[in-house]
Amino acid sequence: MRRCVLAAAAACLLLLAACAQGETKAWEGELLAMDTIMKLTLYGENAPQAGAAAMDRIRELEGLLSVTGEGSDVYRANHTGSAQLSPDAAALLDRALALCRETDGALDVTVYPVVRAWGFTTGEYRVPDDGELEALLERVDYRQATLEGDRVTLPEGVELDLGGVAKGYTGDQLMALLEGEGVASAIVELGGNVQALGAKPDGSPWRVALQAPEGGYAGVLEIVDRAVVTSGGYQRYFEQDGEIYWHIIDPAQGRPARSGLQSVTIVAEEGTLCDGLSTALFVMGRERALDFWRTREDFECVLISEDNTVAVTEGLEESFSLYGDWEGRPLEIIRR
Ligand code: AMP
Ligand code: MG
């Protein structure tokens, strides 16, 4: 095994010129949470107080949702098979299970035994053999997790991992908190997730850059009141015998999803939806992902394929543009 990479989360999506706008001063906060670097940029009189509350809220959600943190709701559920969840964990699990159903299991919150076997939660990376994966896949099926009220029940061997959706939920919670604190303009970067409250203080849209798979930036999205979430094979991976293995698992195979995509970026109002779908559409691959998009009205997406072609759904036609070295490359606008 040659090397293991946890791509610096802050590099996943860069905010272009998101700092102080003219005379308006920004409050900025940074912390390490949920295995990534988180950065908050808030404007307005109440920003320092709102920022402190937002940081506390992030730490609280990390404590509840972490799969490895002893004492988290997810940890308790996985270690006892039945647990009373906090309102946050219950709300997120409920939403996540709905997304598992809607994506026909491309998102599967019970994929944890497989993710762990590959070493993605511990950093002890390895390639499990076919027999091991076959046995582990018996334990992967989101339909076996039942949520009644705030109580989750898991059959023997089934374990939850909300890692594919937790940062999205955190973004939604931060937007609600900041709005409640009277902040009208803010942007939060939670690893590969970016979520904006309102527009920039001068009324113009936020400009969010999409990382190119090989580094640098492939495109820019202009957003107001939106979440932008990217799942990419380059975000966390290891290499063994010349093969790259990344952290997004196809729950049907128990292996890193090789769907022909390098990254999926979802744009929508709801961060949880963006996060769940970025993982799921990566697993689906381009054609299935676009068929899925055609059945929905609640999100738009940018797909970067292995041949570096970029497909953008029509709702982003005005707000997306290729950037830098990518400017001359083929850009396909997908219509309904
Ligand atoms: P994301 O970065 O949002 O795409 O989520 C990837 C994380 O979710 C991984 O690190 C795993 O912990 C977990 N995961 C990987 N594949 C799946 C999947 N198909 N469904 C649900 N969670 C997954
Ligand atoms: Mg995700």
Side-chain angles (χ1 to χ4, degrees):
M1 198 167 305
R2 213 161 59 80
R3 64 181 182 139
C4 315
V5 174
L6 165 59
C12 296
L13 285 159
L14 173 85
L15 294 169
L16 295 175
C19 296
Q21 303 292 317
E23 295 304 305
T24 317
K25 207 169 166 304
W27 178 93
E28 290 179 318
E30 212 173 280
L31 74 163
L32 255 178
M34 300 185 180
D35 238 357
T36 194
I37 298 165
M38 300 194 166
K39 197 173 163 210
L40 317 181
T41 307
L42 280 51
Y43 295 89
E45 271 175 32
N46 221 20
Q49 179 190 327
M55 307 263 260
D56 286 347
R57 183 76 173 119
I58 291 171
R59 290 193 194 94
E60 179 187 25
L61 289 172
E62 179 180 39
L64 296 171
L65 304 176
S66 160
V67 68
T68 50
E70 282 186 37
S72 80
D73 283 17
V74 174
Y75 188 94
R76 277 192 301 116
N78 288 347
H79 286 78
T80 60
S82 180
Q84 192 71 34
L85 301 177
S86 61
D88 282 310
L92 175 54
L93 180 58
D94 188 46
R95 186 74 184 102
L97 286 172
L99 291 172
C100 294
R101 287 190 292 272
E102 290 163 25
T103 60
D104 202 15
L107 181 76
D108 192 321
V109 288
T110 63
V111 79
Y112 186 52
V114 173
V115 170
R116 183 174 47 208
W118 285 89
F120 286 113
T121 46
T122 57
E124 289 163 29
Y125 299 112
R126 55 190 276 276
V127 179
D129 65 35
D130 291 353
E132 182 180 353
L133 286 178
E134 211 174 297
L136 289 173
L137 281 176
E138 304 261 306
R139 299 161 53 184
V140 176
D141 182 359
Y142 65 91
R143 290 166 296 198
Q144 295 200 46
T146 48
L147 181 68
E148 283 166 323
D150 285 353
R151 176 162 290 277
V152 64
T153 307
L154 306 168
E156 180 73 34
V158 174
E159 294 176 81
L160 293 177
D161 174 9
L162 297 177
V165 285
K167 292 195 301 264
Y169 179 79
T170 302
D172 290 332
Q173 292 301 305
L174 293 181
M175 295 301 111
L177 181 151
L178 295 174
E179 211 173 353
E181 294 277 345
V183 173
S185 176
I187 191 142
V188 301
E189 297 164 76
L190 317 174
N193 296 28
V194 173
Q195 197 156 344
L197 182 65
K200 287 198 223 170
D202 67 2
S204 65
W206 304 97
R207 285 165 58 78
V208 178
L210 268 57
Q211 200 185 337
E214 74 276 12
Y217 299 100
V220 178
L221 269 165
E222 294 194 333
I223 57 160
V224 174
D225 271 326
R226 286 285 181 279
V228 178
V229 177
T230 298
S231 288
Y234 53 82
Q235 288 170 341
R236 187 184 296 226
Y237 63 90
F238 67 93
E239 194 178 326
Q240 184 174 305
D241 301 329
E243 281 263 358
I244 301 268
Y245 300 94
W246 51 63
H247 70 304
I248 303 165
I249 302 291
D250 180 350
Q253 309 289 331
R255 298 175 181 285
R258 292 199 204 285
S259 62
L261 292 175
Q262 299 198 81
S263 76
V264 173
T265 299
I266 308 285
V267 183
E269 244 179 88
E270 188 201 351
T272 313
L273 175 76
C274 288
D275 206 351
L277 292 187
S278 68
T279 309
L281 269 62
F282 189 98
V283 171
M284 288 180 190
R286 186 190 137 114
E287 296 319 314
R288 232 181 109 197
L290 293 176
D291 286 347
F292 179 81
W293 168 76
R294 288 190 174 93
T295 68
R296 313 266 302 204
E297 300 284 338
D298 53 356
F299 76 94
E300 302 292 337
C301 59
V302 181
L303 310 180
I304 302 185
S305 297
E306 269 167 5
D307 62 3
N308 284 337
T309 55
V310 182
V312 176
T313 54
E314 62 186 5
L316 299 177
E317 192 169 5
E318 302 301 320
S319 52
F320 178 82
S321 47
L322 291 169
Y323 181 78
D325 290 351
W326 284 62
E327 262 174 86
R329 297 199 181 172
L331 173 67
E332 193 183 349
I333 306 294
I334 309 296
R335 313 271 170 206
R336 286 201 184 272

